[in-house]
Amino acid sequence: MIVYLNGEFLPLEEARIPVLDRGFIFGDGVYEVIPVYDGHLFRLEAHLQRLENSLNSIKLTNPFTQQQLTDILENLVTKNNAGDQSLYLQITRGVSKREHNFPAGIEPTVFIMSNPIETQKPSTGVKAITHNDIRWQYCNIKAISLLPNVLLRNDAIDAGASENILIRDGYVMEGAASNVFIVVDEVAITPPKSQFILPGITRDLILEAMREANLPCREANIPQTQLHYAQEIWVTSSTREILPVTTLDEKIVGTGEPGPIWLKVWKIYQNYKQKLREN
Ligand code: PDD
């Protein structure tokens, strides 16, 4: 696998960063995950815009223009055989003596790698659990400091589940690494954007595609109690696409099978990917 690190393309095994990188010491950085289908980057503009928003929020200037980043990303995709893959891009504040204040005059560290992406088959449904949202109040920043998310996801795995759905003050926020949709009375509902959720690119695409297809959907707060009578629950992300949750906290969701609205939206999503491949 060829990766990009600070101006160079090189094999992963040869990529090195100093231990005093603030990403390593403080988790002081942000990231993006961008799917690639047949060499085509999925919703690149939206990913680059979200990266810019994350960088602004942590007061870090992007060392590249959007065009420069696009060229690097496309170059890396080609070097990794241009097929299906998922790009992980991370920018940290750079290397300096360990002190909390932002150091002056250092260069950000930019690292990009490509990982295989699994072809998603129509899911037979997954289990999820719920948990109090123990994270901080800037969840809209795609920060690399993910310890709470890692612990929460691991709790789900320990419970034999695929995702942990997070509840803050009695309301559904998102998954440990995904956004959440529920279906009530045939309407798909997802929480509105706020500082408490990551504005998912997959989430936005689903809303856009559903509106285009005249399928009822809205952004609204979801009380935790509503989760328990939802006909369908989905978790969405760039790598997992749209996963139907058929068991929540050991109770069956809806009929216990992936729901009809999920199936419609899943098909629309697959068509969207197919069009991107043919571009
Ligand atoms: N995570 N919410 C959180 C907390 C996430 O970590 C993610 C994705 C999402 C979905 O965003 P998107 O649709 O843009 O992928 C929502 C990525 C995939 C990760 O950390 O690996």
Side-chain angles (χ1 to χ4, degrees):
M1 185 214 296
I2 300 298
V3 303
Y4 171 90
L5 179 63
N6 295 334
E8 270 186 277
F9 292 95
L10 70 177
L12 176 65
E13 305 71 43
E14 290 172 24
R16 297 273 181 277
I17 56 151
V19 288
L20 284 182
D21 192 282
R22 289 175 66 97
F24 182 57
I25 297 289
F26 289 121
D28 184 358
V30 297
Y31 76 105
E32 274 299 319
V33 177
I34 309 167
V36 178
Y37 300 108
D38 266 350
H40 300 284
L41 285 97
F42 188 84
R43 297 239 137 177
L44 178 61
E45 227 172 89
H47 281 283
L48 292 181
Q49 185 55 55
R50 186 172 64 186
L51 175 69
E52 208 56 46
N53 297 345
S54 295
L55 286 166
N56 287 339
S57 302
I58 70 160
K59 302 185 173 71
L60 185 55
T61 307
N62 195 338
F64 295 117
T65 63
Q66 304 240 332
Q67 189 54 53
Q68 284 170 326
L69 264 186
T70 304
D71 291 346
I72 296 169
L73 289 164
E74 284 178 347
N75 211 336
L76 189 65
V77 167
T78 311
K79 289 185 193 302
N80 286 292
N81 300 325
D84 286 7
Q85 51 198 285
S86 140
L87 298 177
Y88 174 86
L89 180 167
Q90 164 169 324
I91 304 183
T92 75
R93 205 173 303 276
V95 182
S96 79
K97 175 170 167 273
R98 182 187 181 277
E99 53 186 6
H100 287 70
N101 43 304
F102 296 165
I106 60 167
E107 290 296 312
T109 301
V110 181
F111 172 63
I112 314 172
M113 66 179 160
S114 160
N115 286 305
I117 197 165
E118 276 172 44
T119 313
Q120 301 285 322
K121 295 183 199 77
S123 173
T124 50
V126 297
K127 273 187 176 188
I129 59 169
T130 54
H131 198 284
N132 197 15
D133 193 346
I134 52 163
R135 301 171 305 159
W136 66 339
Q137 310 227 345
Y138 296 150
C139 301
N140 54 319
I141 305 173
K142 206 159 169 58
I144 59 167
S145 35
L146 287 173
L147 185 55
N149 307 62
V150 166
L151 293 177
L152 288 160
R153 171 61 72 79
N154 217 63
D155 282 348
I157 302 301
D158 284 348
S162 299
E163 186 55 304
N164 205 335
I165 294 179
L166 310 178
I167 313 292
R168 197 186 282 260
D169 298 330
Y171 288 90
V172 177
M173 294 294 129
E174 59 179 341
S178 58
N179 291 110
V180 175
F181 284 74
I182 66 167
V183 175
V184 176
D185 296 334
E186 318 282 303
V187 181
I189 310 170
T190 194
K193 288 181 186 172
S194 74
Q195 71 190 90
F196 299 116
I197 69 166
L198 185 82
I201 308 296
T202 320
R203 168 199 182 276
D204 284 357
L205 174 57
I206 291 168
L207 286 174
E208 195 182 297
M210 289 189 80
R211 283 174 187 142
E212 234 166 69
N214 281 325
L215 295 170
C217 62
R218 61 193 174 91
E219 296 171 80
N221 291 318
I222 302 175
Q224 181 177 13
T225 46
Q226 220 177 12
L227 267 183
H228 299 292
Y229 58 83
Q231 285 135 20
E232 301 185 20
I233 300 177
W234 322 327
V235 290
T236 71
S237 81
S238 295
T239 41
R240 293 175 141 191
E241 301 185 350
I242 316 170
L243 268 188
V245 174
T246 46
T247 308
L248 182 73
D249 291 333
E250 299 302 331
K251 289 188 202 81
I252 296 287
V253 176
T255 60
E257 300 286 325
I261 301 183
W262 168 79
L263 188 60
K264 278 186 195 162
V265 176
W266 187 82
K267 283 184 179 158
I268 293 173
Y269 194 86
Q270 300 310 315
N271 278 339
Y272 183 93
K273 276 168 52 185
Q274 190 52 34
K275 280 202 194 119
L276 183 71
R277 286 179 191 285
E278 289 161 7
N279 236 330

